[in-house]
Amino acid sequence: MSVKHLPFRVVASDGCAKGFPATSLHDATPHAPGWVSAPFPHYPQELTLAFTGVVNVEAVRLKCHKSFVPAQVQVSLAGVGQSSFRPVGFVKFVSGGGGGNPVLVADLQSLKLDAEAAFLRFSIPAPYVHSQNFCNQVGLVSVVLEGSIHLQKSARALQAGQQGLDFQLLLQGIDVEEDFVHSEARAAGLETAAGRMIRDVRRLKADYQDREEYDEAQRLSILEHKMADAGTRILQLEATKRAAVDREDFTAAKRLKAELDELHRLINACMSEARQRQVFKNKHVLHDETSAVEERVAVLEAEKAEAVRTENYSAAQALKVEIDKLRAHLVARQSLPAARGRMDVTSLDGSGHGQGNGAVNPARLFGSLV
């Protein structure tokens, strides 16, 4: 597993100064104020963090406030269902100097670890004496936790009921399922919305596999890979767009937004396609052929736009030919009497033949996915 920044939430703190909430540590932005304790607090001050699943913590990186400097921060960890935290080390900002006088080492310090946890706690003793710390406070500007997410262990914890991680976090008002989907998507290098839809496609695919409908499972597998490629690209473009906005290159940001919109349309069209196939297998539901063809055209249009963006013009031309054929089919269908414009999916059998003149074989209509 690759080392990444670990998502977390501050779920408990001993208090804060006005305008410096502990929540700014997990909702960090370039202008976030960080956390500062209340004036004249009791010590040690404690902050409790919850990860969005079971993780392996490999590094803790803390940046302290320039005036409210903790001498050190004790780091402790706890797992799912554990009632006590175990100390694993210290992050030290101050060390002894010449003549025994303490000196500030640096405002950014780290602690290397290799430990599994679901929760982390900072215990902060009295601060380093500073000329501008009039109220005996401590503060942290940023918290960065690095490591890897144990997806299987996290999934088991989420299924463990009230003794599991979900119940403990919900008590703190955290939507753990949403956070877990976000963490899973980021661990796979995907944009969150794409990761969520890919999970839905995988569930549909598993359902077809259980029913031994392998053609449908294969089609969904192809869709899944297309969505994964688009989701990875979205994550990359989002970072590029943010960088363009930061340097005020709004022309580039506008172009990137258009690319992102196209990729989102592609993913949504693939998701619609996946659900459409599931509905087609239900022989108790009637479907309008025109709507089905339009869904297919939307998928192909999105694929064509992506092919043009990547300068794969041969693929774009092949997709254009297929789109033109489907549109010609739509025009022909619209010229038929309304009574023949409806699909008779209840009469389809393995050979694809229906009872009425308007019967259409969906497998033939959607036979080529790529």
Side-chain angles (χ1 to χ4, degrees):
M1 292 179 287
S2 59
V3 177
K4 299 179 180 291
H5 288 186
L6 297 171
F8 67 88
R9 292 285 186 272
V10 180
V11 296
S13 73
D14 285 338
C16 66
K18 184 177 180 179
F20 296 88
T23 53
S24 68
L25 296 174
H26 67 237
D27 293 331
T29 66
H31 305 291
W35 167 78
V36 174
S37 68
F40 303 107
H42 67 273
Y43 286 103
Q45 286 281 289
E46 290 188 342
L47 297 172
T48 303
L49 284 56
F51 296 106
T52 56
V54 180
V55 303
N56 191 73
V57 184
E58 299 186 23
V60 177
R61 305 189 190 280
L62 304 180
K63 184 174 183 179
C64 70
H65 193 280
K66 63 181 180 181
S67 301
F68 311 132
V69 182
Q72 63 182 15
V73 177
Q74 184 184 59
V75 180
S76 303
L77 302 176
V80 176
Q82 294 179 352
S83 58
S84 60
F85 284 77
R86 65 186 187 281
V88 292
F90 293 88
V91 177
K92 296 184 177 182
F93 296 100
V94 174
S95 68
N101 296 320
V103 296
L104 177 64
V105 178
D107 63 351
L108 180 62
Q109 293 291 330
S110 61
L111 171 67
K112 295 292 185 181
L113 294 173
D114 184 11
E116 186 177 299
F119 299 90
L120 181 147
R121 176 171 289 168
F122 295 133
S123 183
I124 308 172
Y128 166 71
V129 177
H130 192 282
S131 61
Q132 296 182 6
N133 189 357
F134 304 111
C135 300
N136 202 39
Q137 293 164 278
V138 289
L140 295 174
V141 174
S142 68
V143 174
V144 175
L145 306 173
E146 297 179 353
S148 54
I149 300 171
H150 291 295
L151 294 179
Q152 292 182 343
K153 292 182 179 179
S154 298
R156 287 197 296 270
L158 294 176
Q159 296 168 0
Q162 292 191 349
Q163 298 304 313
L165 183 62
D166 57 342
F167 182 71
Q168 296 179 50
L169 295 188
L170 285 173
L171 287 177
Q172 303 292 340
I174 297 172
D175 185 346
V176 70
E177 183 177 0
E178 181 65 22
D179 281 351
F180 177 71
V181 170
H182 172 81
S183 300
E184 182 185 54
R186 286 297 189 268
L190 296 170
E191 186 262 345
T192 302
R196 185 181 301 106
M197 285 189 278
I198 288 171
R199 283 167 63 91
D200 292 340
V201 170
R202 286 171 179 164
R203 281 195 287 266
L204 294 175
K205 183 176 69 174
D207 184 51
Y208 285 127
Q209 289 173 335
D210 290 343
R211 299 202 306 255
E212 298 185 351
E213 298 181 25
Y214 299 121
D215 287 341
E216 290 299 317
Q218 175 62 24
R219 289 178 183 132
L220 289 177
S221 180
I222 294 171
L223 278 173
E224 178 190 336
H225 284 95
K226 285 186 178 182
M227 294 167 75
D229 290 343
T232 301
R233 180 65 178 159
I234 286 172
L235 203 60
Q236 295 168 347
L237 289 178
E238 284 287 2
T240 306
K241 186 184 73 173
R242 285 194 297 271
V245 171
D246 289 343
R247 66 175 182 270
E248 298 189 356
D249 186 353
F250 299 118
T251 301
K254 182 179 179 180
R255 174 180 54 79
L256 290 164
K257 182 181 182 300
E259 289 187 51
L260 286 163
D261 290 343
E262 198 64 44
L263 287 168
H264 282 297
R265 281 194 287 271
L266 171 61
I267 289 177
N268 288 328
C270 286
M271 191 69 240
S272 296
E273 177 75 3
R275 289 171 176 155
Q276 190 75 24
R277 291 186 184 283
Q278 184 190 36
V279 174
F280 272 135
K281 298 303 291 184
N282 185 348
K283 296 187 178 182
H284 300 290
V285 181
L286 295 178
H287 296 278
D288 185 85
E289 181 189 357
T290 299
S291 176
V293 175
E294 287 173 347
E295 288 279 358
R296 179 62 176 158
V297 169
V299 173
L300 294 178
E301 284 285 6
E303 291 179 7
K304 184 183 72 172
E306 178 65 8
V308 171
R309 188 192 67 78
T310 58
E311 299 184 358
N312 188 353
Y313 299 119
S314 58
Q317 177 60 31
L319 289 164
K320 181 180 182 300
V321 170
E322 188 171 353
I323 290 169
D324 290 343
K325 286 180 180 179
L326 288 171
R327 284 180 172 158
H329 178 77
L330 277 175
V331 172
R333 292 296 300 170
Q334 290 168 359
S335 66
L336 295 175
R340 297 179 59 193
R342 190 124 185 117
M343 293 174 61
D344 185 6
V345 296
T346 60
S347 63
L348 292 173
D349 58 22
S351 63
H353 297 297
Q355 294 176 346
N357 291 333
V360 175
N361 184 353
R364 183 174 61 200
L365 179 61
F366 293 97
S368 65
L369 185 59
V370 292

